[in-house]
């Protein structure tokens, strides 16, 4: 392309020169294509205006002059995959690279940051911790994230009613963002839904820091709850850093296996909206209480 | 228990047109595509046509009444030929099209037939719906998706030609003109004119011809008439809107024409003569073989559409397009998390009222006022209505509570009179909204709240019994317009 | 056999060959989770020291999981050429390392030696290699295979086009295939991971891919990466399958958790040869990954690198067309940092090649690892340099179904350019015909998926 442009400017210059020679261009002394100024021009900072540099929408077609632009748009509409992105040499366009980095930043922050104290206060739920001591240990030692610390066991025993029908709790899992963006909408819808189904014996919800899915077994045993519902942050993808899952289990024991759990995933505004998920879970919990089982046995039984 | 992840429905389509009556039976496969660990997501994954009836002449008494017993007998014979009983038909649509919809007993006949055809078979009519069904059945809709084009489908029937415009699968426009192959009836294989419909008289007048029933017609004169008709058909999308013959024969508003058409497709009975060069109508015998000017209109249209400048695409179905559309394309499924009471279903012919232009207002008082006002304006006194709502002001729990409060307040009178609360949402929140309403009026068992359905003010909606383990309900959205003005 | 070592005066004692192998491994979170890794850096070196003096026979006589107890061990031992093994059994692991690296030792020599090596021996020797050692070794070995086309020819680098879609939407899958092909990606295979693992979904997806390949006459292979039993069932019903896929682990227990046994694979292999739609003779595709056994709690006290090597021992039985690791996919509990990931990748590549396998690499990472794009690109470049047969190709590097990052179509094109590598020849001719490539370079048209306007 560069050569084409050069060629073009060469032709233009030659034509202009020819014209000038023949006296057609009185005002042109030395015909030339404008050159880049050699002295840097100063651009002042205008941060007071309400103007930000933002990422363009991901739906933007970045291919340089596609043959069928409407085809590209239609194909892009068929998939959330990063297609129709064009290229700079063999590499990404700048926008594509920045989008990727921005999405990864969301995912990394969802994984590596904590659920804020402010959020827990707003929700009015207390916090306990598993046997994990820091974020790195949480990620590399999933076994410890399945066990409550001694302090946690005590705090839960003191603050929560035993032998309830339904015990709901929240665990950060692999996305703190999932907790902060969904729980406030999901939890009231779930409780309202349960009440609507006539299920009123619901335990006090709380938050487990550095919690994994299997920690719900210990909690269920500790509180002797009939059904335990864990709302846990899912491993973030690049597009969705705030997806939440609900793991529901009927009377867990030490021998509980994964197939005993009923799982509802992909809860976020781009998937199942949290408020609708809460309502859906209420119906599901009713079914589980009625069937007195959860997981595979619920769907096949 | 039925499979929770897969279901099959047998769907019938019955098209009672100006000239012909047809039946198809198809099998729709519905599957939960969401997988084990997600909230269910049910879609129709396959449509297979199991049976196509022969093409019958529509039984009429004189020219103004549908011969209902004869239609019922025809249907009954087709069911037994297909090997199905009424009880085995899960769903479908009877559509009464073209001139037939104007017959005096059309509404009574079609309602009876729907009941006779199966439990959740709906009665439909109206040029808009007819056009859409034909465009779906002809393959125009699928073509527009596959080729990413804006496609106009013209279904040329016996009495009317119905236009539908699809852009990438979406319906963007419809219209109807009073042109069809059966507007002039001829003695089969002869040249004596048997009947001239009012619209045909107008065309004749324009051509400076007067041909009365009983007279013989010359090939050249008939060709003049069909050429004029074809010209009008094409003028609707390629000419100056509202002018000339096209303007006079329009039965609906003109096409909006605020899009650029790429492709034209012609379906309906005469389409075979548009596309199939073997099926020429060069002599009077060839023209009148079906007892009307249809073949000749096809020939005229062939030339006219080619001259329209658009790409002319071949339909997958011609004469059967509408019936296939009715039989396999009219059903959709609701979202998969809904709030319904099974005993209340099915509900049929529920008028749709849309209280808010966009999303619901955040203020419950405003919701109440708008709901009350829209119910008053719509004036449905003796039936439950469905409120069509895009969604709450935002998808938060609080907004849903506000919406629920506003709705129950606005529906107080309806609730007192024992009417059902039927809410049709666009956004995925029917379960939560249903629960929220229930929470406000405990003990009320008359709430039907479904989502992910697009309906408009003035539509009618049918909601079937839950399928796939109770997850979704089948839904048919239709526009019932019977008493349209006659264009004479 | 001495299992004690001393580093600068400090003595370390190991209780078994398995223990030595585990502690001689480079530091990885999976071995820490299993509680079998070296505790200090010095202990790790002591283990390497002890390992370097073990003979191949010492390792042969002490399989990490007993022959009677584990069918993966049986497959490995039953497949060894005893004549070759006897020729080298008295060599120490340290000496084997030097033999591999020696200028005099050619790829052909290594192909011959490999027939006498157990997977544990192969793991052992790579534990004594640094990254450049691994690259020198890997560059010597190049294995070809043929399904419909030939993979692994010198001077080529192939890619699996991986057009996954979160709901298996056929149009969505095709959209990503078109994007991939327009960048020259897809010569290894067009391989889709389906969301739903059942015959209907499988058949639907493979038919979409197969029809597309036929319509555009693309010289490549198809594969839908469902569970092997799903693929067997679909094959029996006549699905147009080129490659049969399965994920492998290094212990019988873990494979049972994956839902298959050696018998299952034997049946699948036989069926693929008898009823598959490809020319063959290589009709299998495997994925492996360090740490899957730890994740499944089926590691039997063996380190993840050695278990990975055993996967290759199992794969060797089925003469696959392609095999690759997905070590970065398992998660931070097995590989935590970008550094661990890079190291594991290079080990995997060499271990597979020492099993004479046509190895590729899925240079991937998840969002809960301490790794990013830069780590991935460095490791990817190294494994291309080391002569991997193929990599994955994913739109923008973001797999929207499996939620992890892998190499992108752009990375594919870049590696070919910077290392002067070409697509598989049949595929390159097709790219030229489509106007996507010219003289081994992308054309101006490349990257415009709308050239597939159907």
């Amino acid at each position: 392309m560069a050569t084409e442009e050069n060629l073009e400017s060469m032709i233009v210059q030659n034509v202009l020169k020819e014209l000038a020679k023949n006296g057609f261009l009185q005002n042109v002394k030395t015909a030339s294509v404008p050159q880049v100024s050699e002295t840097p021009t100063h651009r002042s900072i205008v941060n007071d205006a309400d103007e930000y540099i933002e990422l363009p929408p991901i739906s933007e077609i970045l291919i340089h002059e596609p043959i069928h632009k409407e085809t590209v748009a239609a194909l892009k509409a068929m998939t959330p995959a990063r297609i129709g992105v064009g290229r700079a040499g063999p590499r990404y366009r700048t926008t594509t690279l920045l989008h990727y980095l921005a999405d990864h930043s969301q995912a990394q922050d969802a994984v590596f940051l904590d659920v804020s104290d402010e959020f827990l206060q707003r929700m009015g739920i207390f916090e306990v911790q598993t046997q994990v001591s820091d974020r790195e240990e949480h990620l590399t030692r999933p076994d410890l994230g399945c066990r409550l610390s001694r302090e946690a066991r005590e705090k839960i025993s003191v603050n929560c009613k035993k032998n309830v029908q339904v015990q709901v709790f929240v665990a950060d899992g692999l996305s703190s963002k999932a907790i902060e963006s969904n729980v406030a909408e999901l939890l009231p819808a779930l409780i309202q839904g349960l009440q609507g189904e006539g299920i009123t014996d619901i335990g006090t919800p709380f938050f487990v820091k550095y919690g994994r899915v299997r920690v719900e077994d210990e909690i269920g045993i500790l509180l002797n709850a009939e059904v335990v519902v864990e709302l846990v942050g899912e491993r973030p993808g690049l597009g969705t850093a705030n997806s939440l899952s609900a793991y529901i289990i009927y009377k867990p024991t030490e021998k509980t296996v994964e197939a005993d759990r009923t799982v509802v995933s992909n809860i976020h505004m781009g998937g199942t909206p949290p408020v609708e998920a809460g309502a859906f879970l209420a119906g599901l919990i009713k079914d589980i209480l009625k069937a007195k089982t959860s997981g595979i046995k619920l769907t096949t039984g | 228990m039925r499979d929770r992840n897969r279901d099959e429905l047998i769907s019938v389509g019955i098209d009672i047109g100006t000239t012909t009556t047809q039946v198809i039976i198809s099998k729709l496969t519905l599957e939960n595509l969401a997988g084990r660990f997600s909230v269910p997501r049910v879609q129709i994954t396959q449509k297979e046509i199991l049976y196509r009836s022969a093409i019958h002449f529509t039984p009429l008494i004189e020219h103004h009444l549908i011969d209902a017993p004869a239609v019922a007998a025809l249907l009954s014979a087709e069911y037994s030929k297909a090997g199905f009983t009424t009880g085995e038909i899960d769903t479908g649509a009877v559509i009464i099209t073209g001139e037939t919809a104007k017959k005096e007993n059309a509404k009574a006949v079609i309602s009876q037939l729907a009941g006779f055809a199966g439990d959740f078979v709906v009665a439909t009519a109206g040029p808009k719906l007819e056009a859409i069904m034909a465009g779906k059945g002809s393959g125009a809709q699928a073509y527009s998706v596959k080729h990413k084009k804006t496609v106009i489908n013209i279904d040329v029937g016996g009495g009317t030609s119905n236009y539908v415009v699809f852009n990438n699968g979406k319906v963007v426009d419809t219209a109807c003109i009073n042109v069809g192959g059966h507007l002039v009836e001829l003695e089969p294989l002869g040249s004596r004119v048997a009947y001239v419909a009012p619209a045909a008289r107008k065309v004749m007048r324009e051509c400076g011809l007067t041909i009365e029933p009983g007279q013989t017609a010359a090939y050249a004169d008939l060709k003049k008439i069909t050429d004029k008709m074809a010209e009008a058909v094409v003028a609707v999308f390629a000419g100056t809107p509202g002018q000339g013959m096209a303007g006079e024969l329009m039965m609906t508003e003109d096409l909006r024409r605020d899009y650029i058409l790429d492709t034209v497709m012609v379906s309906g009975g005469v389409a075979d003569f548009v596309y199939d060069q073997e099926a020429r109508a060069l002599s009077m015998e060839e023209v009148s073989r079906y007892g009307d000017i249809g073949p000749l209109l096809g020939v005229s249209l062939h030339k006219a559409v080619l001259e329209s400048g658009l790409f002319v695409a071949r339909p997958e179905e011609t004469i059967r397009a509408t019936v296939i559309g009715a039989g396999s394309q009219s059903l959709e499924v609701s979202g998969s998390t809904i709030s319904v009471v099974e005993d209340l279903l099915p509900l049929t012919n529920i008028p749709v009222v849309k209280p808010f232009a966009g999303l619901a207002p955040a203020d419950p008082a405003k919701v109440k006022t708008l709901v009350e006002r829209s119910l008053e304006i719509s004036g449905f006194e003796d039936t439950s209505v469905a409120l069509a709502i895009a969604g709450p002001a935002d998808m938060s729990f609080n907004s849903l509570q506000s919406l629920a409060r506003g709705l129950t307040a606005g529906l107080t009178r309806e609730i007192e009179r024992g009417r059902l609360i039927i809410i049709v949402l666009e956004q995925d929140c029917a379960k939560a909204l249903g629960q929220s309403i229930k929470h406000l009026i405990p003990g009320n068992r008359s709430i039907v709240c479904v989502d992910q359905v697009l309906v408009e003010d003035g539509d009618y909606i049918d909601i079937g019994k839950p399928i796939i383990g109770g997850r979704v309900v089948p839904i048919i959205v239709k526009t019932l317009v019977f008493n349209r003005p006659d264009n004479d | 056999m001495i299992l004690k070592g001393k580093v600068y005066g400090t003595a370390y004692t190991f209780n078994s060959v398995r223990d030595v192998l585990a502690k001689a491994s480079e530091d990885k979170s999976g071995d820490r989770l299993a509680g079998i890794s070296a505790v200090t850096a010095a202990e790790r070196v002591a283990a390497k020291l002890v390992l370097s003096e073990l003979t191949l026979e010492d390792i042969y006589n002490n399989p990490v999981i007993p022959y009677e107890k584990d069918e993966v061990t049986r497959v490995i031992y039953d497949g060894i050429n005893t004549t070759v093994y006897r020729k080298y059994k008295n060599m120490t692991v340290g000496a084997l390392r030097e033999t591999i690296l020696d200028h005099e030792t050619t790829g052909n020599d290594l192909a011959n030696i490999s027939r006498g090596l157990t997977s544990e021996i192969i793991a052992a020797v790579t534990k004594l290699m640094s990254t450049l050692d691994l690259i020198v070794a890997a560059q010597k070995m190049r294995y070809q295979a043929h399904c419909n086309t030939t993979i692994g020819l010198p001077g080529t680098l192939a890619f699996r086009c991986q057009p996954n879609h979160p709901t298996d939407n056929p149009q969505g899958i095709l959209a990503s295939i078109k994007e991939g092909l327009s960048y020259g990606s897809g010569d290894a295979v067009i391989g889709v991971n389906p969301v739903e693992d059942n015959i209907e979904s499988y058949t639907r997806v493979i038919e979409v891919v197969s029809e597309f390949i036929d319509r555009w006459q693309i010289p490549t292979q198809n594969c839908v990466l469902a569970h092997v039993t799903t693929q067997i069932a679909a094959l029996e019903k006549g699905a147009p399958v080129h490659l049969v896929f399965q994920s492998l682990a290094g212990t019988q227990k873990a494979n049972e958790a994956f839902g298959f046994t050696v018998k299952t694979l034997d049946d699948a292999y036989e069926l693929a040869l008898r009823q598959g739609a490809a020319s063959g003779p290589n009709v299998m595709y495997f994925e492996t990954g360090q740490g899957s056994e730890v994740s499944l709690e089926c590691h039997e006290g063996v380190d993840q690198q050695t278990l990975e090597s055993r996967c290759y021992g199992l794969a060797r039985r089925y003469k696959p067309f392609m095999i690759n690791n997905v070590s970065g996919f398992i998660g931070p509990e097995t590989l935590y940092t970008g550094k661990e990931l890079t190291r594991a990748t290079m080990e995997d590549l060499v271990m597979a090649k020492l099993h004479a396998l046509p190895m590729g690499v899925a240079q991937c990472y998840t969002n809960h690892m301490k790794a990013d794009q830069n780590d991935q690109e460095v490791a990817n470049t190294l494994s291309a340099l080391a002569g991997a047969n193929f990599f994955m190709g994913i739109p923008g590097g973001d797999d929207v179904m499996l939620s992890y990052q892998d190499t992108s179509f752009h990375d594919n094109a870049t590696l070919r350019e910077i290392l002067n590598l070409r697509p598989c020849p049949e595929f390159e001719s097709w790219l030229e015909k489509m106007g996507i490539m010219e003289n081994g370079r992308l054309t101006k048209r490349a990257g415009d998926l709308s050239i597939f306007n159907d």
Side-chain angles (χ1 to χ4, degrees), chain B residues 10 20 28 52 67 71 105 108 118 131 134 144 162 207 214 240 287 293 367 391 410 415 471:
Chain B
I10 300 297
T20 63
L28 310 178
R52 295 162 190 256
D67 184 351
V71 175
N105 61 343
S144 79
N162 289 280
C207 299
T240 318
V287 171
I293 53 166
V367 170
I415 296 166
R471 288 183 174 131

Side-chain angles (χ1 to χ4, degrees), chain A residues 65-87:
Chain A
E65 290 175 8
I67 302 179
H68 307 284
K69 196 160 183 176
E70 67 285 4
T71 301
V72 179
L75 289 170
K76 273 178 79 74
M78 295 291 175
T79 175
R82 290 162 204 250
I83 64 169
V85 295
R87 57 196 176 84

Side-chain angles (χ1 to χ4, degrees), chain A residues 63 65-68 71 78 82 84-87 90-92 100 104 108 136 139 142-143 174 235-238, chain C residues 33 165 179 183 336 365 367-369 373 377 396 398 402-403 405 408 410-411 414 443 445-446 448 450 453:
Chain A
I63 303 173
E65 290 175 8
I67 302 179
H68 307 284
T71 301
M78 295 291 175
R82 290 162 204 250
V85 295
R87 57 196 176 84
R91 303 303 297 158
Y92 297 137
Y100 184 100
H104 190 237
Q108 292 264 289
E136 175 168 339
L139 294 170
D143 52 329
L174 296 172
R235 191 185 89 189
L238 267 200
Chain C
L33 172 63
H165 188 277
E179 174 92 351
Y183 284 86
Y336 183 51
Y365 66 107
N367 284 313
H368 57 327
M369 286 170 68
Q373 185 61 13
E377 290 177 7
D398 169 19
L402 295 169
S403 279
Q405 285 86 257
S408 68
H410 293 73
D411 297 343
T414 307
T443 63
R445 235 357 351 125
D448 178 2
S450 71
N453 199 22

Side-chain angles (χ1 to χ4, degrees), chain A residues 28-47:
Chain A
V28 180
K29 291 205 175 74
T30 44
S32 75
V33 173
Q35 297 292 308
V36 177
S37 162
E38 279 169 26
T39 48
T41 38
H42 179 71
R43 293 215 296 166
S44 59
I45 297 168
V46 280
N47 270 355

Side-chain angles (χ1 to χ4, degrees), chain A residues 74 185 192-193 265 276 279 296, chain B residues 37 337 397 401 429 431-432 435:
Chain A
E185 308 304 336
Q192 184 187 67
S265 62
E276 185 73 346
I296 293 279
Chain B
F37 301 129
T337 53
F397 182 72
Q401 302 315 298
C429 60
K431 191 132 195 147
Q435 280 182 2

Side-chain angles (χ1 to χ4, degrees), chain A residues 159-175:
Chain A
N159 288 290
C160 295
K161 222 169 63 171
K162 288 204 173 174
N163 313 318
V164 290
Q165 255 185 311
V166 180
Q167 175 66 51
V168 186
F169 74 96
V170 180
D172 49 4
L174 296 172
S175 173

